[in-house]
Amino acid sequence: WKVRLPETLSSTHQSMAVSPDGRFVAAGSTNGTCYLWDWTSPGEDNLVKVWKAHYRPVTCLAFDKDDGASLFTAGEDGVVNAWCLLDLVDQDCPPGGSGSIHPFQTWSEHQLPVTSLCVLPGSGRGSTRLVSSSLDRNLIIMELGGATSSKSFDGSGRTLARMCLPSGLHTVVTDSSSGRLYGGGSDGNIYCIDLCKHAIQETLD
């Protein structure tokens, strides 16, 4: 599968994401625009949607790990947005018609660019939890309730916790049980956070 890129994409390590079923590919650009492709559709025109997601370059994209119904984007504007995939693939709206597309949840918790998004597996009960990292040294844990479209969203998005680390962060990942987070610091350290205790430890120099 090959696609002709309409513009330069962001060079960050999370500037592209693939849905859990492998059908959709999303990418973010340096001018804040996001692109969504359905690579299984016949023909050469696989582009499903183009929309303005952020005011500054897009740094991270991630689908929720359960059914891929939500797409999360983050940018250098310090904002994390949640988009409903059903809205993005709406056949009544042309690929470039982004005027009616809005995130159904927005978090503005960071003061500096968001560097990484980590969707926690096994959240359950129709909710999704995700973690964002930033150069402002903060890890933010967020929770999102289930949604079928932006119009039916129940408004249950919230911030669960904020953890300030000794260094700016470039990435965050979790273990398979979602019990620990590992943040890669700009000081060369990897910080281990026990989510049960919210304890922060340096694990590697």
Side-chain angles (χ1 to χ4, degrees):
W1 177 69
K2 282 198 306 184
V3 62
R4 188 173 183 178
L5 298 176
E7 62 175 316
T8 302
L9 298 182
S10 298
S11 59
T12 58
H13 68 286
Q14 276 192 307
S15 62
M16 297 186 71
V18 180
S19 61
D21 61 2
R23 178 179 176 182
F24 295 102
V25 178
S29 76
T30 54
N31 73 355
T33 301
C34 281
Y35 297 85
L36 182 70
W37 293 274
D38 179 356
W39 76 273
T40 63
S41 64
E44 296 183 359
D45 188 11
N46 303 107
L47 185 62
V48 175
K49 180 63 65 178
V50 180
W51 75 103
K52 188 72 171 178
H54 294 270
Y55 293 106
R56 300 192 65 189
V58 178
T59 55
C60 318
L61 298 96
F63 285 91
D64 74 68
K65 294 183 178 296
D66 293 328
D67 54 9
S70 298
L71 172 66
F72 303 101
T73 65
E76 288 189 6
D77 52 12
V79 172
V80 177
N81 286 324
W83 309 85
C84 178
L85 188 61
L86 289 178
D87 289 343
L88 297 177
V89 300
D90 186 357
Q91 296 299 318
D92 294 331
C93 186
S98 61
S100 61
I101 300 298
H102 302 283
F104 65 85
Q105 180 65 37
T106 295
W107 292 272
S108 301
E109 301 286 347
H110 291 290
Q111 303 301 315
L112 291 175
V114 180
T115 55
S116 183
L117 288 176
C118 176
V119 180
L120 301 180
S123 298
R125 297 184 179 181
S127 66
T128 299
R129 290 183 178 180
L130 67 153
V131 183
S132 61
S133 66
S134 172
L135 296 177
D136 65 6
R137 303 191 301 159
N138 286 308
L139 287 177
I140 306 295
I141 302 179
M142 299 155 282
E143 184 177 57
L144 181 69
T148 57
S149 73
S150 59
K151 300 178 182 61
S152 64
F153 176 60
D154 60 10
S156 60
R158 57 178 179 154
T159 299
L160 297 179
R162 174 193 294 268
M163 291 166 283
C164 185
L165 275 69
S167 167
L169 299 166
H170 289 288
T171 190
V172 60
V173 296
T174 182
D175 60 13
S176 58
S177 67
S178 300
R180 289 183 174 88
L181 296 175
Y182 298 91
S186 57
D187 59 357
N189 288 319
I190 296 177
Y191 296 92
C192 177
I193 300 95
D194 187 325
L195 291 180
C196 295
K197 301 178 181 178
H198 282 195
I200 301 172
Q201 299 176 334
E202 292 183 14
T203 59
L204 182 65
D205 287 323

